[in-house]
Amino acid sequence: MLAIFKREIRSFFTSPVGYLVMGLFLVLSGLFLWVFKGQFNVFEYGFADLSNFFLLAPWVFLFLIPAITMKSFSEEQKLGTLELLFIKPISLWQTVFGKFLGTVVLAIIAVLPTLLYVYTISQLGTTIGNLDTGVVLGSYFGLLLLLTTYTAIGVFASTLSDNQIVSFIIGMVLCFLLYYGFESLGTLFTEGDFGLKIQGLGMKAHFESIARGVLDTRDLIYFVSLTLFFLFLTVERLKNLNR
């Protein structure tokens, strides 16, 4: 598993795609937060906090995570090297988990430079340093959980086709449906309680709950369960390809 993990990290940084994906995330988030006028602009928002960044990040990663994961198993299928993974002296779970962890680490590396935003925002307040660190830490933790789930979905999508573009589209659509689909579906019901229950099935509601600085075990269980579910689907899909 460690060898596969290292190979994922190495392959990412030895290709221009890796740097392009990380650069796109930082450029897009920076432009929307500090340059472009609109609902995400920090200066127009008028409050010295990072809530706009945590509203924007899930949407940016909805495109970027599938772009990172699309080659996880698609490339193996296209090059015919998938069979080599099957004969390695490690289980399919270890293979999948190695690729999964590699992508999660890469996503975390992409997020790390945004810690500069925390310092910048703390300096922009009327009282310098008056930033609710609890909410910021909770939001980053929620973003980490969201990224792991996106990654599990993207890795699963990469097993569905040997075409990386197809895998990217499938991963992006699945992430979108699970993040925002239930939110939209819930608005179709006039009965408020039932609509809220429907919305509670989506990742957006659970992410926003954690981003408020309140760590509920139900939100943690939700993300961990969804992540494990898609990793399980990935393993089962690989078993079918091995038959």
Side-chain angles (χ1 to χ4, degrees):
M1 186 181 79
L2 185 60
I4 293 175
F5 169 77
K6 289 181 178 179
R7 193 182 73 171
E8 285 296 301
I9 298 291
R10 194 181 303 113
S11 66
F12 186 84
F13 285 108
T14 54
S15 70
V17 176
Y19 296 99
L20 180 63
V21 169
M22 292 176 63
L24 274 175
F25 169 69
L26 295 173
V27 169
L28 287 175
S29 61
L31 287 175
F32 277 102
L33 287 174
W34 307 101
V35 180
F36 295 155
K37 293 184 178 181
Q39 61 174 328
F40 298 114
N41 189 282
V42 171
F43 301 109
E44 291 191 0
Y45 182 58
F47 296 94
D49 63 46
L50 275 174
S51 58
N52 284 343
F53 168 69
F54 293 110
L55 287 175
L56 175 66
W59 293 103
V60 178
F61 274 116
L62 190 140
F63 296 95
L64 297 187
I65 294 296
I68 298 174
T69 59
M70 65 183 183
K71 71 180 185 66
S72 295
F73 289 103
S74 291
E75 189 175 45
E76 304 280 4
Q77 294 181 67
K78 187 173 183 179
L79 297 177
T81 56
L82 190 61
E83 289 75 13
L84 297 177
L85 293 178
F86 293 144
I87 62 175
K88 285 182 178 292
I90 57 175
S91 67
L92 283 179
W93 269 105
Q94 289 175 309
T95 301
V96 170
F97 209 64
K99 287 182 173 288
F100 166 75
L101 281 181
T103 307
V104 169
V105 169
L106 295 171
I108 292 174
I109 292 173
V111 171
L112 283 178
T114 65
L115 293 175
L116 180 63
Y117 298 161
V118 179
Y119 173 77
T120 304
I121 291 292
S122 69
Q123 299 299 305
L124 289 176
T126 305
T127 303
I128 295 177
N130 186 24
L131 185 67
D132 192 337
T133 54
V135 172
V136 172
L137 290 175
S139 298
Y140 269 109
F141 183 66
L143 186 60
L144 175 62
L145 292 174
L146 187 68
L147 292 180
T148 57
T149 307
Y150 276 179
T151 301
I153 295 171
V155 170
F156 167 68
S158 73
T159 65
L160 300 178
S161 173
D162 60 0
N163 187 305
Q164 293 187 32
I165 302 301
V166 174
S167 296
F168 166 74
I169 294 173
I170 294 173
M172 185 179 61
V173 170
L174 286 175
C175 287
F176 173 79
L177 291 176
L178 286 168
Y179 181 75
Y180 193 71
F182 288 104
E183 183 85 8
S184 299
L185 187 61
T187 61
L188 299 178
F189 298 92
T190 56
E191 187 180 344
D193 290 340
F194 186 71
L196 290 175
K197 289 179 181 179
I198 294 295
Q199 291 177 356
L201 296 174
M203 290 191 285
K204 188 173 185 288
H206 292 275
F207 171 71
E208 290 178 348
S209 175
I210 298 175
R212 287 193 291 267
V214 179
L215 182 57
D216 192 324
T217 53
R218 289 174 296 182
D219 298 322
L220 181 60
I221 291 172
Y222 173 85
F223 281 111
V224 172
S225 300
L226 199 57
T227 299
L228 291 176
F229 174 69
F230 275 98
L231 291 179
F232 169 77
L233 291 181
T234 303
V235 172
E236 291 300 309
R237 171 63 179 167
L238 291 176
K239 287 179 180 178
N240 289 332
L241 292 175
N242 192 28
R243 290 174 182 171

